[in-house]
Amino acid sequence: MTAMDDSTGTDFAGTDFAGTDFAGVDFWARMERRGPAEVVVDGRPVREGSRVRLRPSRVGSQADIMDLVLDGRVAVVESIEQDEEGVFHFAVTLDDDPGRDLGEARLPGHRFFYSAEEIEPVGARDEAERVARVLVAGVGNIFLGDDGFGVEVVRRLAESGQAAGAGAHVDVVDFGIRGMDLAYALQRDYDLVILVDAAARGQAPGTITVLEPDLPGSDHGGTPGNAPGGMLGGVPVEGHGMDPVRVLRLAAELGRVPERVVVVCCEPAAVLTGGPDEDVLVELSEPVRAAVGPAVRLVMDMIAESAGPGSRPENAG
């Protein structure tokens, strides 16, 4: 079968696996390099995040079960690799696979490789019919009072079930203070990411503000493997920290950031730092609690806008 998952090895002819190929270039160093950012297939550019239709080269009696199952399915390009002979291999995950996150984590069975001859870039008509993908991410520390605003908003949104009928594929996730997890989630092909957080901006407590940050780019020219310990391209890696700006920078260093990211933030009544002299506070202040409902409605409006006209549920709010 031509489609291979990551458990399948590759035979690199003419390579000395002791560490150096016949050209004198360190083999493992070459394998650690990223593939090209973009490859033209059938006259159209294909890059990470592009949607393609799978067309396994073996058909009819020559096809095995995976060829038959995957033929014609739409997939998302997760990375582009190039072997020693210059052949491009596209690592893809299925667009409708509920276990896509396992493929993004490079686990076998959810991630496949195809050549350029076995993929078709998805056309404009297919893209127009595609359902928008939205991530609503609640961030904050529930033990620091009003800092738990984002967590409460996504909890209420998830419990209401409103997002399920919004006309888009919506993931509502409480990330809390798991900044690294959010950075990896941003690698997926979301059309819109809504971060919900508390932020002190000098306004009246409970004031809701919508920000569209300038999305960061990776201009250091390195790769994750080149960063010093505890760093990723100059961005400190914190497994349990949640600064949205830092998370966006980290996501860019990992590879990509969705095209549109908005931050729905609420002015806290009190700002706690988690210092040793502070008490744990697990409740929102009155003005911030009162802002949760309007924030939920605002998020639903954004989801409906991304899904298209007429998609807003009647019971939203």
Side-chain angles (χ1 to χ4, degrees), residues 242-263:
M242 185 59 81
D243 174 350
V245 174
R246 177 169 290 178
V247 170
L248 288 172
R249 290 178 57 203
L250 176 56
E253 295 292 339
L254 288 171
R256 67 190 296 266
V257 176
E259 266 188 45
R260 188 180 180 211
V261 177
V262 299
V263 183

Side-chain angles (χ1 to χ4, degrees), residues 191-296:
D191 301 284
L192 169 65
V193 172
I194 304 172
L195 304 179
V196 189
D197 194 13
R201 297 174 51 79
Q203 300 173 321
T207 300
I208 297 176
T209 306
V210 178
L211 306 174
E212 291 206 33
D214 292 331
L215 299 183
S218 177
D219 57 1
H220 60 86
T223 65
N226 294 334
M231 304 282 285
L232 187 59
V235 181
V237 176
E238 298 179 10
H240 297 282
M242 185 59 81
D243 174 350
V245 174
R246 177 169 290 178
V247 170
L248 288 172
R249 290 178 57 203
L250 176 56
E253 295 292 339
L254 288 171
R256 67 190 296 266
V257 176
E259 266 188 45
R260 188 180 180 211
V261 177
V262 299
V263 183
V264 176
C265 54
C266 179
E267 184 75 26
V271 179
L272 302 180
T273 63
D277 57 336
E278 292 180 339
D279 293 329
V280 171
L281 182 60
V282 295
E283 293 184 354
L284 301 178
S285 65
E286 185 57 37
V288 171
R289 187 184 306 112
V292 171
V296 169

Side-chain angles (χ1 to χ4, degrees), residues 74-316:
V74 174
V76 178
V77 176
E78 299 297 338
S79 67
I80 303 175
E81 312 294 341
Q82 189 173 19
D83 64 23
E84 286 288 277
E85 298 176 351
V87 177
F88 295 115
H89 302 274
F90 298 81
V92 304
T93 55
L94 297 181
D95 186 49
D96 58 355
D97 181 1
R100 269 193 63 195
D101 57 330
L102 299 178
E104 292 161 357
R106 297 176 177 263
L107 294 181
H110 296 270
R111 189 170 186 260
F112 307 93
F113 281 92
Y114 283 89
S115 66
E117 293 74 23
E118 297 178 303
I119 61 173
E120 297 175 357
V122 169
R125 180 177 177 180
D126 295 294
E127 286 290 350
E129 296 175 351
R130 183 178 69 86
V131 175
R133 295 177 61 89
V134 180
L135 170 65
V136 182
V139 302
N141 192 328
I142 61 172
F143 298 110
L144 296 181
D146 288 344
D147 194 55
F149 168 77
V151 174
E152 178 61 22
V153 169
V154 298
R155 184 194 67 80
R156 191 173 301 185
L157 186 61
E159 288 183 351
S160 71
Q162 295 177 25
H169 177 98
V170 184
D171 293 328
V172 180
V173 184
D174 168 13
F175 283 96
I177 58 173
R178 295 177 290 116
M180 181 67 79
D181 289 349
L182 176 56
Y184 277 111
L186 292 175
Q187 302 305 302
R188 303 171 189 170
D189 59 320
Y190 290 112
D191 301 284
L192 169 65
V193 172
I194 304 172
L195 304 179
V196 189
D197 194 13
R201 297 174 51 79
Q203 300 173 321
T207 300
I208 297 176
T209 306
V210 178
L211 306 174
E212 291 206 33
D214 292 331
L215 299 183
S218 177
D219 57 1
H220 60 86
T223 65
N226 294 334
M231 304 282 285
L232 187 59
V235 181
V237 176
E238 298 179 10
H240 297 282
M242 185 59 81
D243 174 350
V245 174
R246 177 169 290 178
V247 170
L248 288 172
R249 290 178 57 203
L250 176 56
E253 295 292 339
L254 288 171
R256 67 190 296 266
V257 176
E259 266 188 45
R260 188 180 180 211
V261 177
V262 299
V263 183
V264 176
C265 54
C266 179
E267 184 75 26
V271 179
L272 302 180
T273 63
D277 57 336
E278 292 180 339
D279 293 329
V280 171
L281 182 60
V282 295
E283 293 184 354
L284 301 178
S285 65
E286 185 57 37
V288 171
R289 187 184 306 112
V292 171
V296 169
R297 293 191 289 273
L298 177 59
V299 169
M300 286 302 304
D301 285 337
M302 293 179 176
I303 295 172
E305 180 184 354
S306 71
S311 60
R312 184 149 164 60
E314 293 295 329
N315 65 340

